[in-house]
Amino acid sequence: MSEPSEQKANVLILTATITPPPGARQLSRTDPNIRLNDYRKAFEFYLSCLANGTISGLIFADNSASDISTLHELARQYDALNKIEFISFEGLDYSPAYGRGYGEFKMLDYVMQHSRLIHDLPAQANIWKVTGRYILRNLADVIKTAPPYSDFYCNCRNIPIYWIDLYILCWNKDFYQHSINGIYESIKEDYIAGSSEVNFRKIIDEKKGSKYKIFKRFRTIPQLEGYRGSDNQIYEEKKVKLLIRTLANKLIPWIWI
């Protein structure tokens, strides 16, 4: 197992909507029981990452105020309760037509404002966000190879469209406060403005030349496991696409696919 970065603390936020609202856009995986089981499996994996030192803190945040007692039971099996935090609240007070990105960034604002773990972090600590149903199997390597002095770390694509992956992001508190907090209205999805991934990419591109150190390409390609919410496809079945992206990242890193 690769050792985590020693320069900064690495706290992980797992975002969750266990019970999605009726009419959620482009969402096929809607059964709360199935989704809770996805979150449980992923949460157990990230608990192991906490136990082995890959991350220094773990926050599970659900904006549907659902029953997460099974996750509390899992957490109690680890001798690290002071490094685990649950944030559950009713945060679905918006039209589901706005898209999942809108709801997720609205949720992240709440977490950044209310989390005790984040409040106690040093200013430059890494705060990672992963969509909570996904297992990022090579999280240790993603953290280890992250730029040591970044304010914001993400993975952008230029082919086939300009896009930013939202399933994993990394920032520090100052960058979030001045560059992300409150932007959920700006990434609202519609047929004219496009998806949250496209809209957020535009916002990040506009930060060029700012005081912040922004890295827009991951040095290690994330290896995801789990079911995509939009179409129920399994990430593990996309091994050819992962191989192509990994090779391209090494051989032609200037082409972002």
Side-chain angles (χ1 to χ4, degrees):
M1 176 67 69
S2 300
E3 294 296 323
S5 171
E6 296 181 355
Q7 284 128 343
K8 298 181 183 179
N10 290 281
V11 167
L12 176 63
I13 301 171
L14 298 178
T15 56
T17 302
I18 294 172
T19 307
R25 289 187 60 187
Q26 298 179 334
L27 185 64
S28 298
R29 203 168 182 83
T30 58
D31 186 304
N33 293 322
I34 293 175
R35 293 176 66 86
L36 178 58
N37 191 51
D38 292 341
Y39 290 121
R40 183 192 60 76
K41 291 178 180 178
F43 185 65
E44 192 165 20
F45 169 77
Y46 294 114
L47 283 173
S48 71
C49 293
L50 183 63
N52 66 27
T54 296
I55 55 176
S56 50
L58 179 60
I59 302 165
F60 184 90
D62 169 52
N63 66 351
S64 65
S66 299
D67 181 3
I68 55 173
S69 56
T70 57
L71 304 185
H72 283 270
E73 291 173 9
L74 279 175
R76 283 192 287 269
Q77 298 175 22
Y78 288 79
D79 187 24
L81 287 178
N82 63 320
K83 299 178 182 179
I84 303 169
E85 184 175 11
F86 294 97
I87 297 177
S88 182
F89 66 104
E90 183 51 73
L92 298 176
D93 54 344
Y94 59 89
S95 169
Y98 292 169
R100 295 191 300 279
Y102 177 99
E104 186 166 56
F105 278 98
K106 193 171 186 290
M107 181 196 330
L108 287 168
D109 280 5
Y110 186 94
V111 173
M112 293 294 292
Q113 292 166 12
H114 293 86
S115 167
R116 62 170 176 81
L117 288 179
I118 290 175
H119 178 270
D120 294 339
L121 280 178
Q124 294 302 311
N126 285 328
I127 301 169
W128 296 83
K129 169 264 164 191
V130 172
T131 300
R133 293 186 306 101
Y134 298 152
I135 293 173
L136 183 53
R137 186 60 66 182
N138 61 339
L139 176 63
D141 289 328
V142 171
I143 290 176
K144 180 183 177 182
T145 58
Y149 303 110
S150 65
D151 295 302
F152 184 68
Y153 187 41
C154 62
N155 197 58
C156 293
R157 309 186 192 280
N158 296 342
I159 299 173
I161 59 175
Y162 276 65
W163 173 283
I164 183 170
D165 291 331
L166 294 184
Y167 58 80
I168 176 171
L169 299 167
C170 180
W171 57 75
N172 59 40
K173 289 195 287 189
D174 183 64
F175 183 87
Y176 193 96
Q177 179 61 35
H178 293 95
S179 302
I180 300 180
N181 186 58
I183 68 158
Y184 56 88
E185 286 287 354
S186 301
I187 63 169
K188 186 185 300 182
E189 294 186 10
D190 59 49
Y191 294 106
I192 298 175
S195 71
S196 301
E197 290 86 353
V198 171
N199 294 334
F200 189 49
R201 171 67 187 274
K202 293 175 183 176
I203 291 172
I204 294 303
D205 283 349
E206 289 171 358
K207 300 295 178 183
K208 183 178 181 180
S210 72
K211 67 175 182 177
Y212 295 109
K213 297 180 179 65
I214 298 173
F215 294 82
K216 296 193 291 185
R217 191 67 175 167
F218 275 174
R219 295 173 174 177
T220 298
I221 300 298
Q223 297 176 7
L224 284 181
E225 295 180 9
Y227 291 85
R228 294 199 313 191
S230 59
D231 55 14
N232 270 326
Q233 290 191 24
I234 304 174
Y235 271 103
E236 297 93 299
E237 294 179 350
K238 299 182 179 296
K239 293 181 180 178
V240 173
K241 182 181 289 187
L242 175 63
L243 177 61
I244 291 172
R245 286 176 174 169
T246 301
L247 290 174
N249 205 41
K250 293 180 179 179
L251 302 177
I252 46 174
W254 57 91
I255 298 179
W256 296 2
I257 61 173

